[in-house]
Amino acid sequence: MSTCSVSKGCFVFKPSTKKRRLSDKTAHDFRCTSNDSEDTELRFVTCQSLWNQIKSETEKIQENLNKQLLDNLVRFLSRSHSDFQEKKTEWTCRMKFREIPTAALVLGVNVTDHDLTFRGLSDVLQDNITPYVALLEAKDCPGIKNLMQKLMGQLMKCDIDVDSLEDEDCVQVSQNRIRCSMPSLISWYDSVTKKTDSETPSKKRNSSSRHWQSPPVVVIFRDMESFTTKVLQDFIVISSQHIHELPLVLIFGIATSPMIIHRLLPHSVSSLLCIELFQSLSCKEHLSTIIDKLLLTSRFPFKLGEKVLQVLINIFLYHDFSVQNFIKGFQLCIVEHFYSQPLSVLCCHLADIKKRVYSLSHNQCENIRRLPSFRRYVEKQESGKQIELLTNDSFLKEETEKLLEDLHVYHENYVRILRCLHVFTSSLPKYPLGKQIRELHCACLENRVWETEEYESSLQLARMLNKTDLVTILQQCVEILMSSSGKEFDRAVEKLKEFLTQFQNLEAEASQERDVSISPQKELQKKTDLYHLQKTLLELKESRRSKKLTKFEMLRFEVVDYIDSLVRRYLVPAHQRTLQEIVYFNGAAVLRGHLNAAPRTALHTALNNPHWYLKNQALRCDGGGISNKAPDICIVYKLHLECGRLINLVDWLEAFSTVVMAAEETNADAASSDQVDDVIHARFIRAVSELELLGFIKPSKQKTDHVARLTWGGC
């Protein structure tokens, strides 16, 4: 590929290494750079243990969410394989028309989550169906030759150095070299399956009982939209010619729409595929399940504040729809909370609270007294208790234990009532408080939800629900409250059951209490004069206002008012609870700084103030000056900020040379204005090339000895 650049260079791209575990990545931060070294080890262990529990729960959730999709794919492969194995009529027809069984797997635009799905699919296939699974990516298959090399390399479990095989169509298997072609693949498959069939029965049961006889060859195109049309066409046409010899099954990973198959492939090629469509779970539903299982539960003591949760949800909705990135953001919140909050050692399960509270030192007791929520709590107490809380550490520990236990009880009750409220709001014709429970959760965390206009609108709509909906809602609320382990909601359950009984009794009395007012309507039909018609309408409206409520309407109002009383009692915002800072992470600004990248601001800071990142005060230069000790690219960057739209390379080089030679007066005096040292010239060319690579300048077509500036304004 031809390029036009100020200078040419060779850039080395090293393969990414595997990510380190949480313990490897954060141990140094916890042990060495923590502001409060007290209980640092215990905080780190608690953080690691909590994250391992959440990670395990997350994997179970994602496995359950993908289970139905994977089961459907397994059944599809089972049908395709049985047709091939038994040589029945359907497979014979496919063989005549050269159709390849193909699964179109629509996964959505959250591309970063596809890795987990394909990894799970590959594991399921290799464990239960076939050992011959190949996962292909577009970046590794620019041509049909590269595709065949990758395919055969993965199937034969051999490593392939594509660069070393650019001019060769072979792969190295043991001591033999096999040509990368479909006949070679078929020969290899026949030899492998025959070898498996010839094994002794006992050995066969031990080694391959999990797999089917003559297992299919599954080829997964991870990102179908990224593959070139010619590569796909060539592979499909070649494979269709050998489908009667090789049980090949294709799986297309699609991020956009199934129509992409027909856009990429002409009809003559797409007609060679027997396509069946599979749809994965929506990423929004996936996120709602994650939030429901991880945040709206009392199993995990760590919680997210309203603004922090809103930051993570906004990044999900407006950036990438990636559930994996949401989970990574959640992990970052946990690490940041345990790193920055000295009292996070108390963010533990209920059984461990007493032991950890009574092991607090005096400094940690002082940290508790500094918490804003605890100071508000002290101000509400009588003077004698205030003195004890502020001076007596033993009394403070006893009170802290009670407050933390109350906080755990608050979380359990909060989740139950929140789910009951969501049952009501999700049953309304409109959703003033949002349809998803995460939206309702954010509203309850932010303010007293009962003081908002959306809540009042929801109550008005709830007072118009019919009897069937109300009975269904009450039954669901009873089930939710009965799932609570404590006895907190026993009285509430009895009250709701009493409401259900009253609704049942109303059915028997409904026929006796029907008030039919036909006479005003008949009189209204007789009036033809406009004045009398208007007068009659006003009288009818007034009579309806003064009409007494029926027993059903009175009972409906009573039910809604009782639910409202539960909301006001249990859905108090978390920021009003004492010691909430210990378990809630509220650093939204810190999280936003980590996740919302501002690359231009970071580049400007690094190039304009290199001491900020290099931690070298010798590079600090006040007053807008330029230090000759700074890296070359920093000097070039600062000089380019003083230029206009076009920058003269000669003038730029002379200014760079002046700054670099400023400390070396003898060399500066000896240097001629017409000649610059070759070393300085080379340093300047490299710095300008790096600046061009970062996107600050580009070559200009107007003048050959000038470059154009691309960025303007401050950061």
Side-chain angles (χ1 to χ4, degrees), residues 519-540:
S519 56
Q521 297 179 4
K522 289 184 176 180
E523 186 179 355
L524 182 62
Q525 294 174 358
K526 297 178 182 178
K527 302 294 182 181
T528 56
D529 183 61
L530 181 61
Y531 171 75
H532 290 89
L533 182 63
Q534 186 177 7
K535 182 180 179 181
T536 306
L537 286 172
L538 290 175
E539 291 175 353
L540 183 60

Side-chain angles (χ1 to χ4, degrees), residues 119-354:
R119 192 162 58 246
L121 174 61
S122 178
D123 293 341
V124 169
L125 295 180
Q126 291 182 344
D127 289 342
N128 303 309
I129 297 177
T130 174
Y132 312 124
V133 180
L135 182 61
L136 304 179
E137 297 187 42
K139 63 180 182 180
D140 300 326
C141 307
I144 186 64
K145 180 181 69 174
N146 306 90
L147 188 148
M148 292 302 299
Q149 288 176 349
K150 272 289 180 182
L151 174 62
M152 296 185 67
Q154 291 188 27
L155 293 177
M156 299 177 185
K157 301 294 189 297
C158 60
D159 297 328
I160 298 178
D161 186 1
V162 178
D163 296 333
S164 65
L165 296 175
E166 286 185 355
D167 300 326
E168 302 179 16
D169 294 336
C170 302
V171 294
Q172 187 77 26
V173 180
S174 300
Q175 302 296 327
N176 303 322
R177 295 176 65 82
I178 300 178
R179 184 175 182 81
C180 293
S181 63
M182 194 58 69
S184 301
L185 180 59
I186 294 172
S187 301
W188 171 83
Y189 178 80
D190 291 339
S191 63
V192 171
T193 52
K194 287 180 181 178
K195 181 180 179 181
T196 304
D197 294 339
S198 63
E199 290 178 349
T200 60
S202 60
K203 184 177 181 181
K204 183 176 178 179
R205 280 195 299 270
N206 294 332
S207 62
S208 60
S209 58
R210 300 171 301 164
H211 302 140
W212 300 336
Q213 187 179 4
S214 301
V217 177
V218 181
V219 182
I220 303 174
F221 293 84
R222 184 187 178 280
D223 45 352
M224 183 189 179
E225 291 94 340
S226 302
F227 279 85
T228 59
T229 304
K230 181 173 175 52
V231 172
L232 288 175
Q233 288 184 22
D234 292 346
F235 180 75
I236 293 172
V237 171
I238 294 172
S239 300
S240 65
Q241 296 173 355
H242 301 275
I243 191 62
H244 59 284
E245 302 174 277
L246 185 68
L248 187 67
V249 179
L250 304 182
I251 298 179
F252 290 153
I254 300 174
T256 53
S257 168
M259 292 302 297
I260 193 66
I261 297 176
H262 302 287
R263 292 177 185 172
L264 288 176
L265 305 175
H267 181 265
S268 59
V269 178
S270 61
S271 61
L272 301 175
L273 303 175
C274 181
I275 303 175
E276 187 168 337
L277 184 63
F278 297 89
Q279 179 75 49
S280 67
L281 188 68
S282 168
C283 55
K284 290 185 178 180
E285 296 177 5
H286 197 160
L287 176 68
S288 297
T289 306
I290 292 292
I291 293 178
D292 189 22
K293 299 295 184 181
L294 295 185
L295 299 182
L296 301 181
T297 178
S298 57
R299 291 181 55 192
F300 307 113
F302 177 77
K303 306 294 177 184
L304 295 181
E306 183 270 333
K307 293 183 178 179
V308 172
L309 180 58
Q310 201 60 54
V311 167
L312 293 177
I313 292 176
N314 288 341
I315 292 176
F316 172 85
L317 292 177
Y318 302 116
H319 286 76
D320 51 14
F321 289 105
S322 173
V323 177
Q324 293 300 312
N325 288 345
F326 180 89
I327 295 174
K328 291 178 182 178
F330 186 49
Q331 178 186 6
L332 179 61
C333 293
I334 295 175
V335 174
E336 187 66 34
H337 177 71
F338 278 87
Y339 172 72
S340 60
Q341 176 55 265
L343 294 172
S344 58
V345 68
L346 300 178
C347 182
C348 57
H349 294 285
L350 188 61
D352 300 329
I353 287 180
K354 184 175 182 179

Side-chain angles (χ1 to χ4, degrees), residues 21 55 62 80 136 173 192 266 304 337 355 441 488 561 584 604 651:
R21 296 176 300 174
K55 182 180 178 182
Q62 293 173 332
S80 303
L136 304 179
V173 180
V192 171
L304 295 181
H337 177 71
K355 178 181 178 181
H441 177 51
E488 177 72 23
D561 290 342
Y584 278 85
H604 176 78
D651 296 340

